Amino acid sequence: MTDTLSSPAKPRARRRSTGREPLTRDQLVASAIAIADAEGLDAVTIRRLAADHGVTPMALYWHVKDKDELLDAIAEHLFATMVLPEPSSRPWTDQLREIFAAFLVSVRPHPEVAGLAMTRIFGSPAGLEVTERTLAELRRGGFTVERSSDIACYALAALIALVRAEPACGPNGVKSEEATRAKRALLTSLPHEQYPNVVASSDTLAGRSSRDSYFSLGLDLLIGGIQANAPKRAAKSA
Amino acid sequence: MTDTLSSPAKPRARRRSTGREPLTRDQLVASAIAIADAEGLDAVTIRRLAADHGVTPMALYWHVKDKDELLDAIAEHLFATMVLPEPSSRPWTDQLREIFAAFLVSVRPHPEVAGLAMTRIFGSPAGLEVTERTLAELRRGGFTVERSSDIACYALAALIALVRAEPACGPNGVKSEEATRAKRALLTSLPHEQYPNVVASSDTLAGRSSRDSYFSLGLDLLIGGIQANAPKRAAKSA
DNA sequence: ACCTGAACACCGTTCAAGT
DNA sequence: ACCTGAACACCGTTCAAGT
């Protein structure tokens, strides 16, 4: 659950009389993510984090310069959990899809913090890695340098949007469910003549459960769009 | 500049001795957007808004229930400025593109508040309108009800992501420029063997100026992807 | 109808100090 | 090295009251 963050938890030479392990940056990041997942990003607060660890708010400033640096660290961790596919000689579109899928695998479980990723991709090595790999495949696909980077930006942004737009969204747990019901009720109660399609889709729009099909459709749209705009080297069939 | 929000500004029967026009909800929304554009969404604060209008913070609560309701109103205004194309008999893909383009036209000038739109589309009539129109065209394209609504969600989310990922981003104005330079410097200084493509693209990645080509490429990718995944009715040429 | 004043429970952050 | 205490300048919001 705490994946790469969990540390041995062996009491390591407690320095003084405090009966508590010293905090670590990784612990802070881990519980920040946990709080965000459960109660939303707004619930992630210096003071809250401190309280959860039985410590004074100002203690955190030893491990982290800023709240912003904490958010950076969260984003970095998201990227760090990502396992990219080995480069291979398969078609560039297939490779791209796998890269994007890998990205989704690590971001999808944490929709609340996904938004942080957008502005912070270039801050972490792992983020640079995805970008590099994405650019490389786009170049292989024949796009110019400039178009490749535009597309890479779009693609990463779209993937994050895909995650954030997901229905299970809103802090996971209790209230999400009833919020979904309320939203559905609102949509079904709309004037049918004015919004026939919205009403017909109200189930799916209000909060379809976190379906794999939604994400694989997202990947299809993304890859399909890129492929459709790729320069054609030779006139292949179809 | 204040487009639909600007009101006549004629002194309308001042009630009592206060030498000031009574506030209006629309004025609040207008200056909230202006503040967000200039200094970022975080700068939009009940107290700041009050100060700008020479009024006590609590005065705002007469016009607005909540800060959240204020944010709702901002999103609503974004949608409301949108002018959708008249339905026509042209190909559904062309229509879709125009709808999305119209969406971009109203959201693009306000990247800082674009994120608000995502969760609030179904809250406003104008937001429902875009959704309805989008769904209708997708149905025309032959998608099932369920896939249509998944795609509509994805598309709107992607458009917003497109705007937010845009470079001119970060509160417009002074500091954006130097932030861009710093980012570019960081990217160019990266180990060239490890991130060859990132380095080569550093100009474009760091902050290409707000280019129309970026957005039209985004539309191409979006529409291309949708079209590529549309059920084919008959085997047309190509 | 429209706004003020005082008060409350929260924020992030600095700075000097403790062990 | 790691943490505390007190203090500061901010938040959003409630409630009773003014005109």
Side-chain angles (χ1 to χ4, degrees):
Chain A
M1 286 297 142
T2 42
D3 24 358
T4 59
L5 291 181
S6 59
S7 52
K10 292 236 182 92
R12 58 161 149 158
R14 71 177 66 153
R15 294 205 163 268
R16 282 278 169 257
S17 51
T18 91
R20 197 194 61 253
E21 285 297 294
L23 271 183
T24 70
R25 223 179 120 102
D26 285 347
Q27 283 169 41
L28 288 177
V29 172
S31 46
I33 293 180
I35 292 173
D37 289 344
E39 304 170 44
L41 188 57
D42 286 347
V44 176
T45 253
I46 296 278
R47 295 174 116 102
R48 161 71 184 274
L49 229 31
D52 281 9
H53 287 274
V55 112
T56 267
M58 298 67 85
L60 299 214
Y61 287 88
W62 177 260
H63 304 277
V64 111
K65 177 186 153 268
D66 245 350
K67 182 168 184 185
D68 206 57
E69 198 182 281
L70 177 69
L71 299 180
D72 288 350
I74 294 176
E76 202 166 336
H77 179 249
L78 268 202
F79 291 128
T81 61
M82 194 170 39
V83 308
L84 290 174
E86 288 301 311
S88 82
S89 57
R90 298 177 36 223
W92 63 273
T93 47
D94 292 357
Q95 287 258 40
L96 255 194
R97 194 184 222 274
E98 281 187 24
I99 294 170
F100 293 161
F103 184 84
L104 278 183
V105 166
S106 24
V107 177
R108 197 179 152 185
H110 308 292
E112 283 291 320
V113 295
L116 297 177
M118 175 142 288
T119 36
R120 286 164 230 256
I121 308 195
F122 302 139
S124 76
L128 286 170
E129 187 81 25
V130 218
T131 314
E132 174 63 28
R133 290 289 307 274
T134 302
L135 289 172
E137 296 303 332
L138 289 170
R139 298 283 295 142
R140 262 183 80 200
F143 290 100
T144 67
V145 172
E146 196 179 33
R147 278 174 81 84
S148 290
S149 57
D150 277 353
I151 296 178
C153 284
Y154 169 80
L156 268 353
L159 287 173
I160 291 173
L162 197 69
V163 169
R164 299 187 66 196
E166 203 214 357
C169 234
N172 288 334
V174 219
K175 120 179 171 193
S176 223
E177 186 120 352
E178 65 176 296
T180 297
R181 254 203 316 274
K183 204 168 169 187
R184 208 195 83 95
L186 185 149
L187 290 177
T188 14
S189 75
L190 248 29
H192 175 269
E193 322 76 47
Q194 206 172 353
Y195 306 112
N197 288 290
V198 172
V199 174
S201 304
S202 51
D203 282 349
T204 324
L205 289 177
R208 47 223 172 304
S209 54
S210 180
R211 292 172 296 105
D212 284 344
S213 68
Y214 171 68
F215 288 98
S216 71
L217 174 59
L219 284 178
D220 289 343
L221 291 168
L222 196 47
I223 300 290
I226 293 172
Q227 195 163 13
N229 285 278
K232 20 205 166 297
R233 303 163 183 273
K236 296 183 164 189
S237 62
Chain B
M1 286 298 143
T2 42
D3 26 358
T4 59
L5 291 181
S6 60
S7 51
K10 294 239 181 88
R12 56 161 150 155
R14 68 177 67 151
R15 295 207 161 267
R16 282 280 169 255
S17 50
T18 91
R20 195 195 61 253
E21 286 297 294
L23 271 183
T24 69
R25 222 179 120 103
D26 285 348
Q27 283 169 40
L28 288 177
V29 172
S31 45
I33 293 179
I35 294 173
D37 288 345
E39 305 171 42
L41 188 56
D42 286 348
V44 176
T45 252
I46 296 280
R47 296 175 117 102
R48 160 71 184 274
L49 229 30
D52 280 9
H53 287 273
V55 112
T56 268
M58 298 65 87
L60 299 214
Y61 287 90
W62 176 261
H63 304 277
V64 110
K65 181 186 151 267
D66 244 350
K67 180 167 186 187
D68 205 57
E69 198 182 280
L70 177 69
L71 300 180
D72 288 350
I74 293 175
E76 203 166 335
H77 179 250
L78 270 201
F79 292 129
T81 61
M82 193 171 40
V83 308
L84 291 173
E86 288 300 312
S88 83
S89 56
R90 296 173 41 222
W92 63 274
T93 47
D94 292 357
Q95 288 259 40
L96 254 194
R97 194 182 220 277
E98 281 186 23
I99 294 170
F100 293 161
F103 185 84
L104 278 183
V105 166
S106 25
V107 177
R108 195 178 151 185
H110 309 291
E112 281 292 320
V113 296
L116 297 176
M118 177 142 287
T119 36
R120 287 164 231 256
I121 308 194
F122 302 138
S124 77
L128 287 169
E129 188 82 23
V130 217
T131 314
E132 174 63 28
R133 291 289 306 277
T134 303
L135 289 172
E137 297 303 333
L138 289 170
R139 298 282 295 143
R140 261 182 83 199
F143 290 102
T144 67
V145 172
E146 197 178 34
R147 277 173 83 84
S148 291
S149 55
D150 276 354
I151 295 177
C153 285
Y154 169 80
L156 269 353
L159 288 173
I160 292 172
L162 197 68
V163 171
R164 300 187 66 197
E166 203 215 354
C169 236
N172 287 334
V174 218
K175 119 178 169 190
S176 224
E177 187 121 350
E178 63 175 299
T180 296
R181 254 202 318 273
K183 206 168 167 184
R184 208 196 83 94
L186 186 149
L187 290 178
T188 14
S189 73
L190 247 30
H192 175 270
E193 322 75 46
Q194 205 173 354
Y195 306 112
N197 288 289
V198 171
V199 174
S201 303
S202 53
D203 282 349
T204 325
L205 288 177
R208 46 221 172 303
S209 55
S210 181
R211 293 171 296 107
D212 284 344
S213 68
Y214 172 68
F215 288 98
S216 71
L217 174 59
L219 283 178
D220 289 343
L221 291 169
L222 195 47
I223 301 290
I226 294 173
Q227 195 162 14
N229 284 278
K232 25 206 162 296
R233 303 160 183 277
K236 295 182 164 189
S237 64

